[in-house]
Amino acid sequence: MSRQSPFGHPFLLGFDEIEQALDRVAKAAGDGYPPYNIERLARTAQDPERLRITLAVAGFTRDQLEVTLEENQLVIRGRQSDDKTRHFLHRGIAARQFQRAFLLVDGMEVLGADLSNGLLSIDLARPEPERIIRKIDIAAPDKA
């Protein structure tokens, strides 16, 4: 049985990339680690409207975290390795790895990242939507 695409309507032309992006996001949404918030920061006199993604990454250092922009995807990776020199009587905090990805709209700008008190914050600037109206000339065939 095949799934009906919401973008299969004949008036929706060229939306296949959006459909593929939605499929990727749906597949990646399964893992809940690390927990995160996304907040909207209001426009100020100095700054445009921004978004802030905050991930709870307690136990990770700056060297163990990596934030990259791969095409339109913001990817945050964390890598910890076991310290073989330590001998635990009880181990409740596991060394772990994670990857969390966020799909960004075209033109979204990553302003920077900050790690403080176990929280990794990444600020993004939302692009100002540009309203474009363009008149298309209608050609008439030459009559002989």
Side-chain angles (χ1 to χ4, degrees):
M1 183 165 137
S2 67
R3 178 177 66 99
Q4 182 66 27
S5 167
F7 298 99
H9 193 279
F11 292 151
L12 298 174
L13 302 175
F15 284 88
D16 8 340
E17 287 183 19
I18 294 174
E19 185 175 15
Q20 291 168 0
L22 289 173
D23 286 341
R24 264 188 305 185
V25 168
K27 288 176 187 170
D31 186 18
Y33 183 80
Y36 64 93
N37 291 335
I38 301 175
E39 63 183 303
R40 184 182 317 230
L41 303 175
R43 178 187 321 265
T44 65
Q46 300 87 1
D47 297 316
E49 181 181 65
R50 295 170 293 143
L51 296 177
R52 176 171 291 156
I53 301 171
T54 304
L55 290 91
V57 292
F60 285 86
T61 65
R62 278 181 172 71
D63 295 338
Q64 296 169 330
L65 295 168
E66 177 182 68
V67 180
T68 58
L69 189 59
E70 301 171 9
E71 295 181 13
N72 283 2
Q73 207 167 26
L74 178 67
V75 180
I76 301 106
R77 293 181 181 92
R79 292 187 174 90
Q80 289 179 325
S81 58
D82 281 326
D83 185 354
K84 302 295 184 193
T85 63
R86 299 172 75 183
H87 177 74
F88 293 96
L89 298 177
H90 170 76
R91 178 97 189 242
I93 304 171
R96 62 191 304 183
Q97 298 182 22
F98 73 86
Q99 177 174 311
R100 171 78 64 191
F102 298 90
L103 191 61
L104 306 180
V105 70
D106 284 336
M108 183 76 78
E109 182 182 346
V110 179
L111 300 176
D114 178 61
L115 179 63
S116 178
N117 298 323
L119 297 174
L120 175 66
S121 297
I122 303 164
D123 285 354
L124 309 165
R126 294 180 63 122
E128 289 293 323
E130 186 177 325
R131 187 172 172 167
I132 299 172
I133 299 174
R134 192 176 108 215
K135 183 174 180 169
I136 310 299
D137 291 329
I138 302 171
D142 292 336
K143 294 184 180 181

